[in-house]
Amino acid sequence: MTYRIPTLAVPAPVATNEVLLVASGDLRLSANQTCWPAQADMEERVAAAFAAEGVSVRRAHPYDPEEEHGFISSQRMGMDVFANIGPNARLVVAEAVWQYSHHVLAGLRAHRGPILTLANWSGQWPGLVGMLYLNGSLTKAGVRYSTIWSRDFTDDFFRDGIRQWLHEGTIAHDASHVRAFEVSESDEAALGRALAAELRGRKAILGIFDEGCMGMYNAIIDDELLNPSGIFKERLSQSALVAGMREVSDDQARAVRGWLDERGMTFVTGPNPATDLTDEQIHGQCKMYIAAVRIAHAFGCDAIGIQYQQGLKDMAPASDLVEGLLNNPDRPPVYHAQTGAELYAGKALPHFNEVDEGAAVDALVTNRVWTAMDLEPSTTLHDLRWGEDYKGDGADDFVWLFEISGAVPASHFATGYAEARSERQPPMYFPAGGGSLKGASKPGEIVWSRVYVQDGGLHADIGRGRAVRLPDAENERRWNSTSPQWPIMNAVLDGVTRDQMMARHKANHISVAYAPDAATADKALQAKA
């Protein structure tokens, strides 16, 4: 018999003075088109920096004139691109935008040459966020890589970094801020042990409305790692959430909106649903809030995560207002559809944005520790979006801008719902609209953390810091430099420089919780650790 023996194309050789560049993008065409100019500008600067070292940068995939961008926009496309990349080539993954890591993860897992992830230090689009998410995914996958970032790619930090990578295949970053946790004999240690034993004995359930939001491989924790800690998953469907929304009456949804109006929350509405937040979109979000709480109760969930970004975005308004309400003990009441009993009365139902299971474990543990210490247990996650040095008005330090599309509770704002605003989510990300829960987080002591997967096990980085209040004009400048519809926290992290944080952090998200003073925050950190 004659068999059809497959043949594989042999990738073109890469010159010794050449590196290849790939750019992972969004799945949404509108986002890729809108953000492409920033990516193109960054790539020109990167190429100039490598040229100064005698090395040329060659794109491994072309600009697409029909789609009007040059991003890898799907997993299939990424696999096809990497089929033409030699496995030992020096490879740069350059990101100025939010990207879907699974577009390139298959190729990067099989790559054997030096890998460098880089991003522009800009808040315009979430390029730094996308790079950190890719770094976390590569860490979980056990792929060796180096990473670097720069404002304009002419500074010594960047030039020295790429020079080391070109000569040695790696970049060494300062990690002197990292210390192994040492358990002290204290009341806090005893509390931590007791809560851990309780969690293993009375197991907890994470309600997950569809896993793997936006290809976030780093946000999926295997059951085999979760279960020994006493944490299990209830795998739910976002279609069930839509069905649950249909069971919520208009009167019940109006009661949620009325509760928020009475608390003084501002909804910035307009007439055009394509670009404005409308009352109908808000009404849908109120129905989603009730449906989510009822489903969580029906399955006995201790925390829930709604994927939203893909799938639901074409069927319902954004989940972000819902997420912020859930993370707050002070929220509109939700009642059982048959018995009329209030569900999770007086309690937060922790929500982990974008079904980030690292944030889920973090929120669950924080909620239990803070509740046991009789502290206000509202917790949230932010994107590690950007930051700048700031001097004046009580701050003289590098001040991070943490920012996320949703999940921030109004209790993180100085006057709560009275200063919260809901603005329409950007149409390029959220075609069905829906509002955010926007505000600037109040000044105060915080504990920050991240749970992630490395070397086949669960790890946690935990630290201290403080949220700071900046002048209104500076807040507005920061909002307008990023995504002005979203809630922010201006934060200073204790004992960690900008570059140390970027080199170490294994995720796009960072979790934060407040304590009333520094001494209490230190104790809460000890118990949580």
Side-chain angles (χ1 to χ4, degrees):
M1 296 181 67
T2 301
Y3 298 104
R4 299 192 198 120
I5 305 298
T7 58
L8 296 177
V10 177
V14 178
T16 56
N17 65 337
E18 185 178 52
V19 300
L20 299 184
L21 181 146
V22 298
S24 179
D26 209 297
L27 191 67
R28 295 161 287 201
L29 178 61
S30 57
N32 283 334
Q33 291 175 336
T34 301
C35 301
W36 172 249
Q39 177 75 21
D41 177 72
M42 181 190 72
E43 289 186 18
E44 286 185 14
R45 296 171 186 269
V46 169
F50 275 92
E53 303 299 324
V55 175
S56 63
V57 175
R58 174 163 61 89
R59 281 191 122 249
H61 51 102
Y63 174 86
D64 188 330
E66 292 187 6
E67 293 213 334
E68 299 179 344
H69 68 81
F71 293 111
I72 296 173
S73 56
S74 71
Q75 183 171 223
R76 178 73 268 164
M77 179 181 176
M79 291 175 175
D80 293 342
V81 167
F82 272 87
N84 294 304
I85 294 176
N88 297 311
R90 292 182 295 188
L91 186 64
V92 173
V93 187
E95 300 298 338
V97 302
W98 171 255
Q99 57 85 38
Y100 283 38
S101 286
H102 79 296
H103 292 173
V104 293
L105 191 59
L108 293 174
R109 291 188 87 148
H111 199 72
R112 296 294 173 261
I115 297 170
L116 176 63
T117 66
L118 64 82
N120 57 336
W121 195 266
S122 168
Q124 180 188 16
W125 306 121
L128 293 164
V129 181
M131 185 193 73
L132 287 173
Y133 147 40
L134 176 59
N135 290 353
S137 296
L138 294 175
T139 297
K140 178 186 173 185
V143 176
R144 296 183 62 183
Y145 66 95
S146 297
T147 189
I148 197 76
W149 45 91
S150 178
R151 281 189 172 87
D152 60 10
F153 307 100
T154 63
D155 56 280
D156 290 340
F157 173 75
F158 181 77
R159 292 289 179 90
D160 291 344
I162 64 169
R163 188 176 300 120
Q164 183 184 22
W165 183 73
L166 288 169
H167 289 287
E168 302 176 21
T170 188
I171 299 175
H173 289 293
D174 177 19
S176 60
H177 65 292
V178 180
R179 292 178 292 169
F181 178 69
E182 297 179 0
V183 181
S184 60
E185 293 303 321
S186 63
D187 291 343
E188 291 72 41
L191 173 62
R193 292 191 186 98
L195 290 172
E198 179 190 42
L199 181 57
R200 288 192 297 269
R202 300 175 189 166
K203 297 174 175 54
I205 295 176
L206 305 178
I208 296 172
F209 285 94
D210 293 338
E211 219 162 24
C213 180
M214 297 183 289
M216 291 202 304
Y217 173 74
N218 72 316
I220 301 172
I221 301 177
D222 292 339
D223 297 57
E224 288 74 16
L225 298 181
L226 284 178
N227 296 169
S229 298
I231 302 173
F232 289 75
K233 299 179 187 180
E234 188 72 53
R235 288 175 169 86
L236 306 169
S237 171
Q238 293 193 115
S239 61
L241 184 59
V242 174
M245 292 168 63
R246 293 173 180 169
E247 299 300 317
V248 177
S249 71
D250 289 333
D251 286 343
Q252 291 166 342
R254 280 192 285 267
V256 171
R257 172 71 183 272
W259 190 96
L260 295 171
D261 288 338
E262 288 177 4
R263 295 300 182 95
M265 185 167 172
T266 300
F267 292 91
V268 184
T269 58
N272 183 359
T275 56
D276 297 325
L277 178 63
T278 65
D279 289 320
E280 183 179 4
Q281 292 169 11
I282 300 165
H283 193 68
Q285 289 181 298
C286 293
K287 288 193 172 189
M288 184 186 294
Y289 167 68
I290 295 171
V293 175
R294 286 177 173 172
I295 292 173
H297 176 265
F299 286 92
C301 298
D302 298 272
I304 62 170
I306 301 170
Q307 184 192 141
Y308 183 78
Q309 299 279 354
Q310 296 301 338
L312 268 190
K313 73 175 177 60
D314 300 313
M315 302 176 65
S319 61
D320 301 275
L321 174 61
V322 176
E323 298 163 11
L325 298 180
L326 292 171
N327 281 331
N328 195 344
D330 182 25
R331 54 182 178 77
V334 177
Y335 302 99
H336 193 282
Q338 281 75 46
T339 68
E342 186 175 353
L343 306 179
Y344 300 93
K347 297 179 180 179
L349 173 57
H351 181 280
F352 40 104
N353 195 34
E354 296 162 353
V355 289
D356 182 341
E357 293 165 15
V361 174
D362 200 306
L364 178 68
V365 171
T366 300
N367 181 271
R368 294 196 175 195
V369 172
W370 264 239
T371 299
M373 294 181 68
D374 201 25
L375 302 176
E376 207 285 324
S378 297
T379 183
T380 193
L381 61 86
H382 278 281
D383 279 336
L384 201 68
R385 179 69 180 259
W386 172 65
E388 285 185 331
D389 291 317
Y390 183 82
K391 185 173 183 178
D393 301 290
D396 184 5
D397 214 321
F398 183 84
V399 181
W400 287 95
L401 181 85
F402 299 160
E403 184 175 56
I404 193 68
S405 61
V408 177
S411 56
H412 281 196
F413 308 149
T415 58
Y417 290 102
E419 70 178 82
R421 291 168 59 87
S422 188
E423 300 179 8
R424 194 204 191 279
Q425 293 287 18
M428 74 171 178
Y429 294 135
F430 302 92
S436 56
L437 206 165
K438 174 184 174 178
S441 293
K442 62 190 176 185
E445 302 293 328
I446 60 170
V447 176
W448 65 266
S449 44
R450 175 64 199 181
V451 175
Y452 58 98
V453 178
Q454 183 172 351
D455 299 328
L458 281 184
H459 293 248
D461 287 350
I462 304 179
R464 282 272 288 107
R466 66 187 188 279
V468 298
R469 181 182 295 281
L470 299 180
D472 291 345
E474 175 63 13
N475 262 347
E476 289 300 319
R477 186 188 72 84
R478 287 176 162 234
W479 257 318
N480 291 328
S481 298
T482 54
S483 299
Q485 304 89 348
W486 296 352
I488 61 173
M489 173 181 281
N490 296 303
V492 174
L493 302 184
D494 296 340
V496 187
T497 67
R498 181 198 81 166
D499 294 335
Q500 287 175 328
M501 190 69 182
M502 289 296 298
R504 170 73 181 187
H505 205 62
K506 304 301 183 185
N508 40 316
H509 292 146
I510 184 169
S511 297
V512 293
Y514 279 94
D517 52 63
T520 305
D522 290 345
K523 292 178 179 179
L525 182 149
Q526 291 288 322
K528 180 174 179 178

